[in-house]
Amino acid sequence: MSLRALACSMLALAVALPAQAEPGADPAIARIIDEGLQRSEVMTNASALFDGIGARLTHSENQQKAQKWAIALLKSYGLANVHEEPFYFGLGWNLDSYAVSMVTPRRLPLTVIPVAWSPPTEGTLTAPVIVAPMSKDEHLAQWKGKLAGKIVLVSMPGETSESKEGLFQRYSDKDIAELDHYDAPNFDPLKKPRWLKVLPFAERLAAFAKAEGAVAIVTKAYRDGKLVSGEGYAYQPGHTLALPTVQMAQEDYRRLVRLAATGPAPQLSVAVAARYDDKNLYATNIIAEIPGTDPKAGVIMAGAHFDSWIAGDGASDNGAGSVALIEAARLIQKLGTKPRRTIRIALWSGEEQGELGSLAYVSQHFASRPVDPKLVGFMAEDAWTKAFPITPKPEYGTLKAYFNVDNGSGKVRGIYTEGNAGVNGLLGEWLAPFKSMGAGALVASRTHGTDHEKYQAVGLPGYQFIQDPLDYETRVHHSTLDTLDHMRADDMRQISVVWAGVLWQAATSDKELPRQPLPAQPVPTDPFKVADPDD
């Protein structure tokens, strides 16, 4: 055999052999690694969900179809107590078809997507555009009497971005080290999230435009590259947008602005077929279990949000976490041995609207906070995070840990410890078998914007895995590119294996993660601060 042939044979053998667990690891870990890397079902399931079913807007018919698929799959893998748990959400909304074209000065299909929960058109409407940027109430008066019969472009056109960074990234050791910093508390009871102003204004803007006789609204996408998202938040009965609204790719939007500035206003044809559903205002989470052998040992939870936006197929956000979690459950079931603690998995709904599914679950099962029951959606979520005291429920002490994935499909690099230095020893021990897979880092910083926050907010040990960014934030997140093509199969297998291994060890260990104190009302970081009217 030639040296070249020998080298090729050795390379083929190396690819075929499964990764090995670190010395001293639980023998079950080696079995999880072998099954998860050699006979993985994660990408097969990913194709069935993303290619076959697609986007999963909260409380839409397509999400309900996907939930039935997930429930059937979890049952087929032998999980127990597979069920849905409802929580109040709001209107369902289903998008059947849409098309927007420029018809003058030339015919050109435009890249758009309807804004979720905006109303349909009555057939196809054709009208000229008017560029009327409006981002606050003071802007409305200057457009009074000018919008009748127009399609209103309400965003500032801006300029094309210049990317100074690469669009695709793997974390280096230096990158991960920079995440390892303690985030000092910064409690400001006066601060209101920007969206608490932006979202109600969008409703007032649409009502104003309709009263002025406008026929539709166009907003500009927040990224260039012909990427659109369709994010919309007016899903409460009686508070939907008053006019059909579409989000347009930046390149097309700016073309219309230029044409309107230099000649007769372009005319557009707009057709949106969408349906509201008010028969049931409750969305659902999916819950399933691998029962433990010791009813007194408590519960280990893992979760990922199952809902997505309407652009793309919701593959990386957060179909990746969802199918990886289902695969992790399969790997544990495949062991044929029950853990000491019950492993409970959750596929959340309503995360994109403020982590509403996990908030409802934590409130129903673990701890309550005094919030006005009339508040809904983002208003309720914001009030909940600031409401004290926190009152634990009987199940509070049973939860020993919660682990979340929701940063795309990049491989796991470690865990954010949320400033709790006491957990480093045990989390490090559970990650040790996967250090050779690149998943050994523990960083003190907090990460935001996903469901583990609702656990942390009431003092429960909830943690998010660190993941390689890939092109998640730069291009894929909430965009038309969120499809299976932007997932890496090797990364998805690694996520599933690491997650299954950490869950197994957490569920069989005789040790528990140390808890932080039950949160009490903090003192404002700056007690002399006056509320900023622009907050």
Side-chain angles (χ1 to χ4, degrees):
M1 182 181 289
S2 70
L3 288 176
R4 181 178 179 184
L6 178 61
C8 290
S9 297
M10 293 176 67
L11 176 60
L13 181 62
V15 171
L17 290 174
Q20 299 299 309
E22 298 290 329
D26 182 338
I29 300 301
R31 294 176 58 197
I32 287 172
I33 293 172
D34 176 65
E35 178 70 20
L37 298 187
Q38 299 280 35
R39 290 168 292 280
S40 175
E41 296 183 12
V42 69
M43 295 305 288
T44 301
N45 290 335
S47 179
L49 179 58
F50 312 140
D51 295 333
I53 298 176
R56 303 166 304 283
L57 184 70
T58 299
H59 203 28
S60 66
E61 291 173 356
N62 221 44
Q63 192 200 34
Q64 293 164 16
K65 179 180 179 180
Q67 288 178 315
K68 290 179 182 177
W69 171 87
I71 288 170
L73 185 60
L74 290 166
K75 288 181 177 179
S76 75
Y77 287 154
L79 272 76
N81 195 25
V82 184
H83 66 282
E84 295 177 85
E85 294 197 11
F87 63 92
Y88 178 82
F89 176 73
L91 294 167
W93 187 82
N94 303 288
L95 180 62
D96 295 325
S97 64
Y98 61 95
V100 176
S101 293
M102 183 171 70
V103 294
T104 65
R106 61 186 174 104
R107 301 198 69 87
L108 180 69
L110 303 177
T111 301
V112 304
I113 194 165
V115 169
W117 288 283
S118 61
T121 58
E122 294 183 7
T124 300
L125 64 86
T126 301
V129 305
I130 182 171
V131 181
M134 291 177 276
S135 59
K136 48 179 75 171
D137 289 296
E138 304 89 273
H139 297 158
L140 304 183
Q142 72 186 87
W143 298 105
K144 196 161 183 62
K146 302 176 183 178
L147 306 182
K150 305 290 179 57
I151 296 171
V152 188
L153 277 58
V154 299
S155 305
M156 292 293 290
E159 297 180 352
T160 305
S161 66
E162 295 182 11
S163 179
K164 298 177 182 177
E165 307 272 334
L167 295 177
F168 188 95
Q169 181 188 10
R170 294 279 186 188
Y171 275 144
S172 65
D173 290 343
K174 179 176 180 291
D175 293 327
I176 292 176
E178 289 174 354
L179 296 173
D180 190 17
H181 55 82
Y182 179 74
D183 299 325
N186 185 21
F187 180 70
D188 181 358
L190 300 175
K191 186 174 180 61
K192 293 287 186 184
R194 182 174 174 273
W195 40 259
L196 279 184
K197 293 185 67 176
V198 171
L199 301 184
F201 175 74
E203 183 183 343
R204 294 195 299 273
L205 170 59
F208 167 78
K210 182 176 183 179
E212 289 294 306
V215 295
I217 290 173
V218 178
T219 66
K220 186 191 70 174
Y222 64 88
R223 280 178 297 205
D224 59 11
K226 286 280 190 170
L227 301 179
V228 293
S229 69
E231 294 173 49
Y233 301 93
Y235 53 86
Q236 292 304 316
H239 293 278
T240 55
L241 299 180
L243 284 175
T245 304
V246 298
Q247 185 188 83
M248 185 176 289
Q250 289 194 9
E251 294 82 356
D252 287 340
Y253 191 94
R254 283 190 283 266
R255 179 190 291 114
L256 295 178
V257 172
R258 292 191 296 269
L259 288 170
T262 58
Q267 286 200 328
L268 306 184
S269 67
V270 180
V272 176
R275 295 172 287 113
Y276 291 106
D277 185 354
D278 62 358
K279 295 189 296 293
N280 176 16
L281 301 180
Y282 285 76
T284 60
N285 298 316
I286 297 173
I287 307 297
E289 292 183 337
I290 299 173
T293 58
D294 183 355
K296 297 180 180 179
V299 174
I300 301 297
M301 283 196 73
H305 76 84
F306 203 52
D307 59 302
S308 77
W309 286 114
I310 53 176
D313 298 321
S316 289
D317 188 22
N318 183 30
S322 298
V323 295
L325 179 54
I326 292 171
E327 172 70 358
R330 184 189 75 85
L331 297 178
I332 294 171
Q333 279 287 93
K334 196 76 175 177
L335 292 172
T337 305
K338 295 296 183 185
R340 177 170 161 247
R341 297 185 177 92
T342 291
I343 297 173
R344 182 180 301 156
I345 73 168
L347 297 175
W348 305 119
S349 187
E351 190 272 351
E352 297 292 3
Q353 292 77 39
E355 303 162 17
L356 300 182
S358 54
L359 185 156
Y361 188 88
V362 167
S363 298
Q364 291 164 4
H365 290 269
F366 298 127
S368 63
R369 307 182 81 153
V371 176
D372 184 347
K374 295 179 182 177
L375 295 176
V376 294
F378 277 113
M379 300 291 289
E381 193 269 345
D382 181 63
W384 185 87
T385 61
K386 298 172 182 174
F388 294 91
I390 295 169
T391 305
K393 295 189 172 184
E395 291 182 62
Y396 187 90
T398 66
L399 184 75
K400 306 305 179 184
Y402 170 82
F403 296 98
N404 196 81
V405 165
D406 182 20
N407 286 144
S409 62
K411 72 178 182 179
V412 168
R413 303 301 304 279
I415 295 174
Y416 295 94
T417 64
E418 301 281 327
N420 185 359
V423 302
N424 284 21
L426 199 49
L427 288 181
E429 183 180 315
W430 294 342
L431 284 175
F434 311 103
K435 198 171 283 188
S436 61
M437 296 183 187
L442 295 171
V443 301
S445 60
R446 299 177 185 274
T447 186
H448 302 284
T450 192
D451 294 292
H452 79 286
E453 290 182 294
K454 296 300 177 276
Y455 287 79
Q456 285 282 338
V458 295
L460 290 169
Y463 298 99
Q464 168 86 352
F465 286 102
I466 306 164
Q467 293 176 261
D468 273 342
L470 309 186
D471 53 356
Y472 179 65
E473 288 289 354
T474 55
R475 298 195 299 162
V476 173
H477 181 249
H478 293 190
S479 89
T480 38
L481 290 185
D482 193 1
T483 65
L484 183 59
D485 296 271
H486 290 264
M487 298 178 70
R488 299 295 186 272
D490 287 345
D491 289 34
M492 289 297 296
R493 288 189 284 270
Q494 189 256 18
I495 295 170
S496 305
V497 164
V498 174
W499 207 351
V502 169
L503 291 176
W504 174 258
Q505 292 173 97
T508 55
S509 176
D510 57 359
K511 303 173 186 176
E512 296 181 12
L513 290 174
R515 296 180 184 238
Q516 294 175 302
L518 183 71
Q521 180 130 25
V523 175
T525 308
D526 183 355
F528 305 108
K529 182 176 179 179
V530 177
D532 184 341
D534 291 327
D535 277 351

